[in-house]
Every structure is written in C-alpha cells, then in structure tokens.
Amino acid sequence: MDFHNTPEYKSLRSSVPLRKVVVEGNVEWSYYDAGPKTIHNPLVFLPPVSGTADIYFRQLLSLSATGCRAISVNHPVVWDVPSWCQSFHLFLNSLGIDRVHLFGASLGGFLAQKFAEFSGNGRRVRSLILCNAFNDTDVFDQTSACSSFWAVPAVVLKKLVMGTFETMNMDGSMVAAADFMVQKLDALSQQELASRLTLNCVSCYVEPQNVQVLSSDVTLMSVFDQHALSNSVQNEMSKLYPEAKKALLKTGGNFPYLSRSDEVNLYIQVHLQKYADTVYSATEPRQFLPPPSSPSTSSSKPSTSAAILTDSDSDSDNAVEPSAKTDTPVPASVLERPVTSKQQSQVLLEQGLLEDSLPAEQELQMSPMHETAAAVTAAAAGADDL
C-alpha cells in the first residue's frame, strides 16, 4: 500500500493548503491548519526527524471532522533547542494562538517537552501527547558528532536515519508506513536534515522540576513491538511523569500514527475529552439542539366534543328515515299487554296486523328481545296496509 495514493492523503493535499509564515530571524515555518479557525487552543503536531507536516494526514482529517482544530508543522532550519523554542513561540503568536495541546513523536516529543519547559509558569502548553518520545538526547550517543552534521552530505545523513527503521516482523501496514517515511526523508534538504539531527543529538535533557506541573496532563503513547527506542527510555519517561496516562499499543512500530491510526486517533480524542467544554478546549463547543416542543392536548388528541359529534353524525347517516305514515297509531293492545311470542302472534293475527308467515320452529327460537322488536315492526307494517 502506498499512502500517497490513498483517498485520505489526496483529500488532505487537495482540501488543506500548505501555508508558510516567516517569523523574526528569517525563520520559515510551513504548516497545515485543519478545522475551525475560531479555536485558539489547537492541537499541534510535531514530526520526528524523518517526517514532514503531512505525515499526520490521518489525524488532521479525522480530528477536524469532529470539530477539532489540528495543526501540523514542519521543523524550520534552526541549530539549537532554545532557538527552536523561541521561534515556535513566535510562530504561535503569528497565528493568534493562546495555548496549545502538543502531540510529538520522537524528536517532536522531545521538543514539545522543551517548549513546555520554555513556557514556564505561563503554561502556554496545556497538555502533551508523547509518542515514542525521549527526555534525554544522550540515548543516541551522538553528542560528539552532532556539531559536524551541518557539513555531512545528505546521503550519509539519510543512511544514518534509515538505520533506525525496523522492517523485520512487520505487517503490511507497518511496512507501508516505513516506506512512506523513507519517501519523506528523501524530500528533506541537507540543511533541513542536518539541523534536525543536530537538535536530536545535541547534549540536552528535560529538567523534571520544570515539567512536573504538567504530569497529570500528559499521555505517554508507546508500542510493545520493535521500535527505535529501548524499554529503558520508556521507563525514564514514566518516572518523569508519574501521573501521566498510558496509551499502549500492542503493535505499530516507529510510526503508529500511520500504521495504527484508528487507535492513535481514539487515544487522542480520549486525551482531549478532559478539556471539552472548557476554555482550553481544542474543539468547538458542542451544540445542543432545543428539545422539540410537545404538541398541545387539543392537537394530539381529538376533543371529546369532536368525538361525540362524529359519533352523532355517523348515527344520523345510518338512521332509517321514518315512513310518511308514522303518525298511524299502534293498537293499544300491542303496547300495553306483556305477551309471549305465541300470544303476541295470535293477537296480531286476530287484528289483521300480521300475516301467518313465521314457522312454528322459528317462533320458539325467538328471544324476548327479538319478540318485542318483531312485534313493533310488524305492527307498523300492518298499520300501513290498513
């Protein structure tokens, strides 16, 4: 798989422009800025030595879709850590950013810690997510050689970096991530690569007393499989931030933000959730829609009067129209005398009001209610004949 040909990468390059800004000292910063620009506490991504700003394309697209402002930067050409921190401070000022949440991988993680230390009590760094990061450059044992990196050919420097890339026991996604990073490494100029390696190897470390205040706002992200940093480095990071949250990935190699982007994105969202709906939020405030107004009783239920009117209307429609001769009186003998079915039929027959048409069996089966109804109906019919 070639990450350059994925829809996600093409979407970033086509929808989010690569911007550039020059700060004091003629230092040029290039960056991608995705998400709402009204957010003044964004999440800023800092790449490792071999990476460029677009290596975080999966994070930029995923997080900006949730309303988060995510910025990914390229390291400028500077040769010492204090100068990088001062320049990054000016870069944030140029964008009108108040405070930041920093995600840093390897060198990016180290510089994120040094910038938090540089900011001091101003707490411009609100939180840190450190992926495969370190807190002391002595782990690379290149302190004596770094002073001459500026004069080393780019080919030699690239071989020095590629020596840390592991390709054994990797799945397809991890191999694709390593290939993608190699291509990004090839795109760096000699000055860019030399300055990054100098920052990575110059004698420098994070002073614990200056970052302890951030301990509870740190997430340490690491993998269990092979990567460039040893387990002892991870242990030192845990000691430095005893209250930090741990984001552990079973696999992912040196570049889990590429090979295990779904897991990394989830950890990032969990980390930022703590600051949601606060002044330090990296996302837009959640919009709560008002509940739908409950319909009135009259509109949801038909009124009793309407129901009664409906019933009376239906009754009137189905009612049988009275005969034109309904004023003919029914004989008093029918209305006043309670009679059985045989007696009733005999009386009506004697008075000529009923024809002898009912069989004897049917007469015996008639209930008293049926008898009375039949009597009244027959009497009316006989009266018409008269």
Side-chain angles (χ1 to χ4, degrees):
M1 175 175 55
D2 185 0
F3 284 123
H4 285 98
N5 295 325
T6 59
E8 295 167 298
Y9 184 78
K10 291 180 179 179
S11 176
L12 175 75
R13 297 302 302 269
S14 62
S15 60
V16 184
L18 178 64
R19 304 177 184 274
K20 295 182 180 181
V21 61
V22 178
V23 300
E24 183 180 343
N26 200 30
V27 178
E28 181 182 276
W29 289 82
S30 57
Y31 64 98
Y32 292 99
D33 190 349
K37 306 303 182 288
T38 55
I39 302 299
H40 298 289
N41 306 281
L43 174 62
V44 180
F45 290 86
L46 304 176
V49 169
S50 57
T52 52
D54 55 353
I55 66 170
Y56 294 112
F57 67 94
R58 287 182 161 173
Q59 284 69 47
L60 295 180
L61 291 178
S62 176
L63 295 172
S64 62
T66 65
C68 175
R69 185 181 183 185
I71 300 174
S72 182
V73 305
N74 277 321
H75 297 297
V77 177
V78 292
W79 300 93
D80 60 81
V81 174
S83 297
W84 185 95
C85 292
Q86 178 62 29
S87 182
F88 187 59
H89 171 75
L90 297 175
F91 166 71
L92 295 179
N93 288 346
S94 68
L95 298 185
I97 294 174
D98 300 329
R99 292 177 174 82
V100 291
H101 305 270
L102 295 178
F103 181 107
S106 192
L107 171 63
F110 175 71
L111 293 176
Q113 297 171 82
K114 292 302 292 182
F115 183 72
E117 184 181 310
F118 170 84
S119 300
N121 294 330
R123 291 295 302 275
R124 191 165 198 180
V125 177
R126 193 62 190 86
S127 71
L128 294 172
I129 306 175
L130 306 175
C131 178
N132 290 342
F134 54 91
N135 64 335
D136 192 337
T137 59
D138 287 344
V139 298
F140 299 104
D141 197 23
Q142 293 285 340
T143 303
S144 58
C146 69
S147 58
S148 60
F149 282 159
W150 65 272
V152 177
V155 175
V156 177
L157 295 177
K158 290 176 181 178
K159 288 183 178 180
L160 181 63
V161 175
M162 291 177 61
T164 62
F165 289 5
E166 294 286 345
T167 57
M168 300 295 293
N169 301 322
M170 289 187 176
D171 58 24
S173 181
M174 293 164 64
V175 171
D179 292 341
F180 182 75
M181 294 299 291
V182 169
Q183 296 177 53
K184 296 304 171 185
L185 178 62
D186 289 337
L188 296 177
S189 67
Q190 192 277 341
Q191 287 289 291
E192 290 175 321
L193 186 53
S195 65
R196 295 183 184 197
L197 283 173
T198 301
L199 294 176
N200 196 80
C201 299
V202 68
S203 182
C204 189
Y205 65 95
V206 177
E207 300 179 20
Q209 70 275 13
N210 295 330
V211 294
Q212 284 297 316
V213 68
L214 270 176
S215 184
S216 60
D217 295 301
V218 175
T219 293
L220 300 177
M221 186 177 298
S222 57
V223 297
F224 286 127
D225 59 354
Q226 294 182 346
H227 55 91
L229 299 177
S230 63
N231 291 332
S232 61
V233 175
Q234 294 183 7
N235 294 334
E236 289 298 321
M237 292 292 291
S238 297
K239 293 177 182 178
L240 183 60
Y241 303 103
E243 299 178 20
K245 296 178 287 292
K246 304 293 181 61
L248 305 177
L249 292 84
K250 185 176 180 180
T251 58
N254 288 319
F255 318 111
Y257 39 86
L258 286 169
S259 59
R260 301 292 183 269
S261 59
D262 289 343
E263 295 177 58
V264 170
N265 293 346
L266 181 59
Y267 278 128
I268 293 174
Q269 292 181 46
V270 171
H271 174 90
L272 294 177
Q273 184 62 34
K274 174 181 178 181
Y275 312 97
D277 301 324
T278 70
V279 294
Y280 306 115
S281 177
T283 60
E284 285 186 322
R286 285 176 283 186
Q287 300 293 330
F288 296 98
L289 296 177
S293 57
S294 57
S296 62
T297 305
S298 59
S299 61
S300 61
K301 296 181 180 180
S303 64
T304 306
S305 59
I308 293 175
L309 287 174
T310 302
D311 292 341
S312 63
D313 290 343
S314 61
D315 289 343
S316 63
D317 292 339
N318 298 329
V320 178
E321 299 225 353
S323 171
K325 298 182 180 180
T326 52
D327 55 347
T328 304
V330 179
S333 59
V334 175
L335 300 177
E336 295 177 0
R337 283 175 50 192
V339 295
T340 62
S341 60
K342 287 186 178 182
Q343 292 173 332
Q344 178 184 16
S345 300
Q346 185 63 32
V347 171
L348 294 175
L349 284 171
E350 291 176 354
Q351 298 183 9
L353 301 178
L354 179 66
E355 295 182 0
D356 190 10
S357 59
L358 286 176
E361 304 87 10
Q362 189 171 350
E363 292 180 12
L364 295 175
Q365 294 175 0
M366 295 176 65
S367 65
M369 182 182 297
H370 290 159
E371 294 169 1
T372 305
V376 175
T377 304
D384 291 343
D385 293 339
L386 293 175

